[in-house]
Amino acid sequence: MNKPQQHKIVLYFLMTCLGIWFASCKNKISDPDPIPSNQYLVSSTLIGTYSKDVLKTRTDVLTGGINDPLVAIFISGLLKYDIKAYKIIYKTKNTDGTEIQASGALIVPQTTEAIPLISQQHGTIRSDNDAPSNYGTSSESYTIASLFASNGYIIACPDYIGYGASKSIVHPYEHRESLAQASLDMIRASKEFITTEKLNWSKKLMITGYSQGGFATMSLQKKIEEQFPTEFNLVASSCGAGAYNKTAFMKYLINETTHAIPEYNQLYIWVVQTYNRIYGLNRAMNTYFKEPYATDIQNNGNNANVPVSFNLAFADAFKKNINDGTDTQFLNAVKDNDVFDWAPKTETQLYHGNADQQVFYLNSSTAVTAMKAKGGNVTLITKAGGTHGSTLQDYAIGTFNFFNGKK
């Protein structure tokens, strides 16, 4: 090959390389990296903006209507910022694993300071009007969550499956996995909202709830720590009066004399119906209960009237099969919802009154014993003589002080 031909080949090679380089530069300039789409957040709608003066009218949930000077001092220090409340719709999974849309309230204080995020799981509700995203006057999002937010916390309040955007689905009452999943995905959607709105989140996460919310919070904590330990910086958990030891609770109800309060018994019926459905047992209610209660429960569900100690409502054959361990289907369904026998790594506080007739104290006392035996980071705060209702104030104020120490 002569020299002119060699020069032509070299020149062609250089021009080709330059063409590739210019094309690459052009693509980089004209095609910026796309903004990643949200995986969980579907939509957000502003519910309203509320001043500190408006929030002062909602403090009865902490004072119980009692004019206590110490509580008044606490309240005066609680309210720092105006807040905005949003309805969040997000993607989660139903109990059968299918994707659905659920909802919740997200409450944001009006401050530019770096602040933590709290996931606050609500207690038992019987009406969709009380779902956090509806922000009704009797909802926990309207009261306790909004008061906490004013102190400098972003608060995520999941509705759970069966309320708000998913109200056409039967609520899976006291079902560990679905409560945990709906709450976790609400946190994930809230994180995406925080990123989109450029809120100043400190990246700290705290979780809390009372009654069903206590059980939901413990279920959420276990799921995060065991399945997604690096996804969030979980720094504190506060659970009040939750039914963590479902197995012991159920056996106590079957064998012991209890309060005979119909409203409480309706909740126990609700749990039986939920597990009967979700775990595919699909039994008639006369399998579990004797007459005249079986027919009432079959027809009216958790609105049935059972004004006796709950052990007297169970069918004798069912009680026998539970006590001798032969009803493995129901026993396994109940056991699948136990969240008491594991070792929390996150600093965890349990609040419970030892005179609680609705969710018996044994749930917290057995939980703290089992958790500490496994090396769990947990403390039980017992309210002597405390009922399910009277312990709520201790839980709320104690949780506030606990979380403030973790800011």
Side-chain angles (χ1 to χ4, degrees), residues 381-403:
I381 296 94
T382 300
K383 181 175 176 61
T387 65
H388 200 70
S390 68
T391 306
L392 178 60
Q393 184 181 109
D394 296 70
Y395 151 78
I397 296 174
T399 299
F400 172 79
N401 291 328
F402 176 39
F403 284 4

Side-chain angles (χ1 to χ4, degrees), residues 80-199:
K80 291 183 178 179
Y81 308 108
D82 298 344
I83 63 168
K84 287 186 176 182
Y86 297 85
K87 179 173 183 173
I88 299 293
I89 296 179
Y90 65 97
K91 297 174 185 176
T92 190
K93 294 177 182 177
N94 200 355
T95 55
D96 61 0
T98 58
E99 184 178 288
I100 59 170
Q101 291 188 2
S103 53
L106 188 67
I107 306 168
V108 181
Q110 300 307 283
T111 176
T112 58
E113 295 179 11
I115 52 177
L117 169 65
I118 294 176
S119 180
Q120 193 261 326
Q121 286 63 240
H122 67 77
T124 300
I125 60 175
R126 302 292 294 266
S127 168
D128 187 62
N129 292 332
D130 294 332
S133 69
N134 291 323
Y135 209 64
T137 56
S138 58
S139 71
E140 292 182 24
S141 58
Y142 183 89
T143 53
I144 191 168
S146 292
L147 298 177
F148 268 54
S150 179
N151 193 256
Y153 296 94
I154 303 167
I155 314 287
C157 306
D159 289 340
Y160 307 148
I161 296 170
Y163 301 111
S166 62
K167 65 183 179 181
S168 62
I169 300 172
V170 178
H171 172 57
Y173 186 61
E174 291 285 305
H175 179 239
R176 171 188 56 80
E177 176 59 26
S178 57
L179 289 171
Q181 189 68 56
S183 301
L184 174 62
D185 291 339
M186 176 69 186
I187 297 171
R188 289 165 166 165
S190 299
K191 181 179 177 181
E192 292 175 347
F193 178 91
I194 288 168
T195 300
T196 301
E197 297 297 317
K198 297 181 173 59
L199 303 180

Side-chain angles (χ1 to χ4, degrees), residues 242-255:
Y244 320 114
N245 192 341
K246 286 286 193 287
T247 297
F249 194 179
M250 179 267 298
K251 289 185 176 179
Y252 191 91
L253 286 171
I254 283 176
N255 294 301

